[in-house]
Each structure stands twice: as C-alpha cells, then as structure tokens.
Amino acid sequence: MNNCIGTYRLTRAPQYAKFIFCMKTDLSAVLNPEQAAAASKTEGPLLIIAGAGSGKTRMITYRIAHMLEEGIDEKNILALTFTNKAANEMGERIRSLLGKPLKDLTATTFHSFGLGLLKRYIHHLGYHNDFTLYDTNDNEALIKNCIVTCGYQIPDYNVRSLLTLFSNLKTGRETMQDPTGAIAEIYREWLLTQKAYNVVDFDDLILLPVKIFENKPWILEEVQERYRYIMVDEFQDTSLLQYRMVSMIASKYRNIAVVGDDDQSIYSWRGANYRNIIEFEKDFPERAEFKLERNYRSTGNILTAANALIVHNTERKEKKLWTEEQSDSAISIMHHRTSEAEAYWICREIKDEMKRPGVKYGDIGVLVRTNSLISELENVFAEMSVPVRISGGQSFFDRREIRDMLCYLKVLLNRHDDVSLLRIINTPRRGIGRTTIEKLRAYADEKVIPLSQAIEELSGESSPLKQKTKENLRKFMEMLRSWSASSASPENLIRRIVSDIGYEAMLCEEFPDSPKSVDYRMHGIEILESRLKRYLEVNANASLKDYLNAVTLAGDEKEDDECKVSLMTMHASKGLEFRIVYLAGIEDDIIPSSRALEENCHNIDEERRLFYVAITRAREKLFINYADTRISKDGTEKLVLPSRFLEEIPKDLFHNEEKSPEEIKKDQISRLKALLARNTQKEAE
C-alpha cells in the first residue's frame, strides 16, 4: 500500500495489532465484511443496524476517513451523536487515522450542532445572538418566578413535573388539556419570560433551528449546501424533532447514513422514538441496508443470554449477536436475603476481584435500575473503603445556589456582564419582573449600552417607569455598589451577599416543608466559600477573577476514573462497557419498573431493552443480584420477587444458585400469600 499518512492502534476486534492506514486503503483488510460494505458506500441514504459491541464506532470512523480519501471535502461532512465524549472520540479517531487536523470536519452532538446554528441565525426569530442557555435548575427557578408572577403559590405545584409538561408541550409531545387554566397561564408566562430574558433551553436547541428552516428556506438551503454528507450515530435515540431537523438538511442531496439498534432504544421518556427507523425507511425508500451482528465485546454466554432475552420483543429488526470469543464461564446469579446483604456481597466480591492481576477498580461497573438504589450501595462502599464514582451526578458548579452566588460575584467584577446580571436581578424576587426586563432590554438595545447602564438611567426621576419599580432598581444597584466597595475577603463577601439579599429566607419560602433541602443548599454555599478560600491560599497571587475564570474553564474538580468503581443507573451505562459488571436489584417492580408499566403496559418492551443494554455492558463477567426483601420509600421492609426477565434466560447459563429464580419466586409467592392470609385473619378478629 502506498501514500501512508498516519497510524492508528486498534483497541479491540480481531485485528488488534498496530497497522498503517493509507490512502485508498482496502477496507476489507481492517474491517469485517459487513463493516467494510457499510463503510465503503458513501453516496445515497444508508441504514446500518448495529448490534451492541459490534464495532460501529470503528466502522463510522473508517467510513468518514474513506469519504475523505474519495475526495469529499471535510467541511461538507456532518457527523452527529448524543454525547460530547462520543463526538470527541469520533473526531480524535478520524484525525489520528489521517494524520490531519481536519478543522472543518463537524463531529458533534445534536444539541451542540443546534447551538451553533442558533448562534448564527437566532436573530431571525427575534432573539439576540448573545442568548443564554438554561439548564433544568435554571428553568425550575424561572418557573417558580412565573408561578408567583401569575399570582399563585409555589408549594401548590410540583415544579419538576411542570417543567416536564412544559417541555412536552413545547416540543409537541403533549397538548394543553385546559387552555384557560392556571397551568396554561403559567406556561405562557414562562415562554414570554424566556424570550424576555433572551434565554433558550435544551429543547430550543433543536426546536428553534427547525423553526428557522421552516420560516427561512434560504437558510435551510445554505445549511444543506454546507453539509452534503450526514452521518447519525445512535439513531434509535433520536426524537421526532431531531429527526425532523436532520432529515430537512439531508433532503436535498440525500447522502445520509444512520446507525442504530432498535434493541437499545431506552429513552422514550425523554422523547426518543425508535420508530424513527421506520420513518427513515419511508422517507428514503432508495436506502441501502446493512446489519452488524458480530460482537467484539462480550463472551459467548453473555451474548446468548442477551439474545434469549431480547427475542421476546416482537417489534424489532431481526438480528442475532454472535462472537468468536467463546468462553465456558457462566453468568453468576446471586440470591440474597436482604438488599443490605446484597450490597455487602457486591462490595466483598469487588475486593476479591481486585486481588487478581491486572484488574483495576475502573474495570468494574455496578448498575441499578433507579437512582433510589444507589444510596445504600454508595454507603456500604464508603464503609468498606471501596472508591466509587457516581455517574450522571450533578456537578457542584451546576447547582443552582452555586450558580447564583458565582453570578453575583461576576457582576461585581464586570458590571457589563448582562447574562449574569439577568440571572440575579430578581433572585431573590425584588419586584423587577418580566415587563420591566423587556423595557430595560429595549432601552439598552436602542442606546447600544450595557444593561447595567440602562438600569442606572431608567431608575432616575425622569424615567417613565413606575416609581416603585425605579426604587427597586435603585436599591439593587446600591447593593452592588456597596459590595464592590467592600474590603472583605472574597469568601466573606459571599457570606455578606447571602445575608443582605435574604437568600436563606428565599429558600425557606420555596421549600416550606423541607428544611433539609434548605440546609443542603446553604451548606453548598459554605463549601463554595471554603473552596474559594483554599484556592486563594494555594495560589498566592491569584484573585477572585482568576478563580471565576478557572471555574468557567475547568468546571468541577476531575477525578481519576481508572481508580474508582463506576456506580450508575442502567440508563447512564448506555455506550459504556466494563470488564466486570454487577447488576443489583434485579427484581419485579424494579426491572421491569412497576411505575413504567402503570403508565403504559407496552412499556414492558422498553424495560426489556433496558435490561438487554445492562447485560451487554459486560465483557468478561456478569453478576446478576436480587434479594428477598428491600426497604421501601417509607422505610418499611417488603418482600420482593426476582425479575420476570430472569425466566427468559436459559437456566444452563446460570450458576452459583442453589435454587433457580423460578423456584425462589414460588417460595416468595408462598410467603406473600401466607403473610396476606395472616393479615386478613387479624383484620377479621
């Protein structure tokens, strides 16, 4: 082979050795036949059904590299996936293969791509290009403000449920049941306030680009000309809106390849729709289709269990994973008397695994169905000194109270920081509502001045604003000037701000029935004070501004994942793999979830897909755990049954069991019947 331009080390699959990747490389030499066929087809629509562990990321990497070899301009390629980690890995692999910087290649997430489009085109919808992106915490705080603005009481509403409803309404997944009711009024106020504050949320990152394409066809054509070749990873996780956005772009040149696995569609609760695969088939009838069924991750027994489980779902693309990595090791299924015993057993077993040569804590994943099962495991891990990393947890600097305090500090250092100013101007509420904000922004835009200067000018006596509003604005600016003139240390300045604005009283008003929630948030602010103090002590010449810049650039402190066990939900494990996997709480009502089945009996298929995803995270060893009793939310101990999904896996794959799950279930049912009979007799007496 000639024109060698780079090297790349394969990490898995049969061709593990280092090789040289060259121009016009024979893909069949580095990919299996199905992968090579999919990677070599660069023109026209393409549907690739890729099973778990089938090397799809590698295939995608080679396909894009092959496109570049064929002379396709890198700026015309758009590769979309769902996590920053996956997008970064894809980009790094392609650049490593070709030995080129590829600065114009777009490999990113759906939301990052939407964000880029909005930065360029959002002014066509009446927004300013310097908009702010709100996360869940920001939106919940905004909804609380809207509830009060509309004259209602915050404790009367479940704000998290309202946000879910509002997201579904905005994206068209639900319709308002009572357009004249209080919830409809709050929803309209929320939308208007978002626009007035010049903020967008994660739904808008997809929704607004679609609106721009619909309202401004010339913009859609501009984007179509730029991105003539599109590739979508994890296609089964796309929402209807995401598919709408990408299909609009692809409709002109029709060079779109989607890679997905309907058996791993587990995000319907956040809008994902695996039926988009069917929609794709309708929209692109001329598509070519390939299946990747060879698995490079797991042993034969693990794949046999996964295949036996998922075949019970009927609405799926037929496929069967297989591997050359055969192993006689069976899946261990462990029965425990209590959930506490389960946690201790998992912990002891992990310690035993660590005695094996070459095993690291980072090789191990402990997966559960719900977040509620994490705390008991986390506590036992801490007691037995097993280092653990909770995945999917919230960053310290993403917590609402921490963001509030950081924004106050940012405004003190830079009065022209309109984004931070808008966050704090009515936190806590000080009578400066949406209408006032709209007038301030309009005045600032007309005069081309910062928002802080607009406040100064419009709070004067000659201002057309109401007298009470002007007084509130003046008091706010006086507080800022007072803090700016303070000689207090930065950590003491935070303390003073919290006191002056009555932040704790605001939290008490928001959480009248939950003093622990108030204490938790106030303790977070104390941690911020101590971190800031420590930073300034360690960095002798550093300032408050240096700390804020460091926080913005780096976020929270990073941890060495190789030195910690990963403890996470099954949903959070999607896309990951571990040498050894422990599944905890594999019981009916947990997996499948009783709540999911109550909402819709057809959710059983998605629950089965979730269990399938959990099983296929394991490379070498899989331990499935369930207990006889588990502590319920009210603190009482209840009898539980092994998951019905265990009955769908061949018994000869299990070992370490004196009784099968079916026998255990029969025993438990007998105990439940006896307990029910005793209770009935007591009531009769």
Side-chain angles (χ1 to χ4, degrees), residues 406 409-410 412-414 490 532 535-536 541-553:
L406 292 177
L409 296 176
K410 287 178 180 179
L412 295 185
L413 292 177
N414 177 14
L532 173 54
Y535 177 86
L536 296 176
N541 298 319
S543 64
L544 174 59
K545 186 175 183 179
D546 293 326
Y547 178 73
L548 294 177
N549 287 339
V551 167
T552 301
L553 290 172

Side-chain angles (χ1 to χ4, degrees), residues 293-332:
E293 298 172 292
R294 182 175 177 179
N295 179 282
Y296 296 109
R297 176 188 298 156
S298 307
T299 64
N301 287 319
I302 292 173
L303 291 185
T304 300
N307 287 330
L309 173 76
I310 203 62
V311 76
H312 288 80
N313 280 3
T314 54
E315 289 190 7
R316 59 185 290 266
K317 286 276 188 178
E318 187 177 348
K319 71 188 77 68
K320 187 174 183 180
L321 299 182
W322 62 277
T323 181
E324 290 183 346
E325 187 68 27
Q326 297 299 329
S327 170
D328 59 1
S329 62
I331 301 168
S332 298

Side-chain angles (χ1 to χ4, degrees), residues 293-485:
E293 298 172 292
R294 182 175 177 179
N295 179 282
Y296 296 109
R297 176 188 298 156
S298 307
T299 64
N301 287 319
I302 292 173
L303 291 185
T304 300
N307 287 330
L309 173 76
I310 203 62
V311 76
H312 288 80
N313 280 3
T314 54
E315 289 190 7
R316 59 185 290 266
K317 286 276 188 178
E318 187 177 348
K319 71 188 77 68
K320 187 174 183 180
L321 299 182
W322 62 277
T323 181
E324 290 183 346
E325 187 68 27
Q326 297 299 329
S327 170
D328 59 1
S329 62
I331 301 168
S332 298
I333 182 164
M334 305 306 300
H335 165 223
H336 310 277
R337 291 301 176 191
T338 66
S339 57
E340 183 182 46
E342 174 189 65
Y344 278 105
W345 182 89
I346 291 173
C347 205
R348 287 193 299 269
E349 189 67 21
I350 289 174
K351 281 182 167 289
D352 287 342
E353 288 288 348
M354 292 302 298
K355 297 174 184 177
R356 293 172 52 207
V359 178
K360 304 184 295 292
Y361 281 122
D363 294 329
I364 299 171
V366 181
L367 313 183
V368 295
R369 170 62 179 85
T370 64
N371 278 309
S372 61
L373 300 182
I374 286 178
S375 58
E376 184 169 36
L377 286 160
E378 184 180 12
N379 290 333
V380 172
F381 280 23
E383 179 185 330
M384 297 187 68
S385 301
V386 173
V388 65
R389 177 177 67 93
I390 311 296
S391 295
Q394 185 184 40
S395 164
F396 176 77
F397 294 106
D398 284 338
R399 288 167 53 174
R400 172 200 165 185
E401 66 276 10
I402 305 305
R403 283 193 175 188
D404 286 344
M405 292 304 110
L406 292 177
C407 283
Y408 268 103
L409 296 176
K410 287 178 180 179
V411 171
L412 295 185
L413 292 177
N414 177 14
R415 204 62 59 83
H416 293 179
D417 184 349
D418 286 359
V419 172
S420 296
L421 185 63
L422 279 171
R423 183 182 179 95
I424 66 170
I425 195 170
N426 212 32
T427 304
R429 293 180 62 83
R430 45 178 65 93
I432 306 173
R434 171 175 57 83
T435 303
T436 302
I437 296 295
E438 289 174 341
K439 292 177 180 178
L440 290 170
R441 289 195 66 89
Y443 184 86
D445 291 343
E446 181 185 354
K447 300 288 186 179
V448 194
I449 57 177
L451 199 59
S452 58
Q453 187 176 338
I455 294 173
E456 295 280 13
E457 295 181 10
L458 286 181
S459 61
E461 291 302 326
S462 60
S463 166
L465 298 180
K466 294 179 180 179
Q467 190 61 34
K468 182 63 176 176
T469 299
K470 290 190 287 188
E471 290 176 7
N472 292 336
L473 290 172
R474 282 197 292 268
K475 288 179 182 178
F476 175 64
M477 296 306 291
E478 286 169 4
M479 276 197 302
L480 293 180
R481 284 192 287 269
S482 173
W483 296 329
S484 295

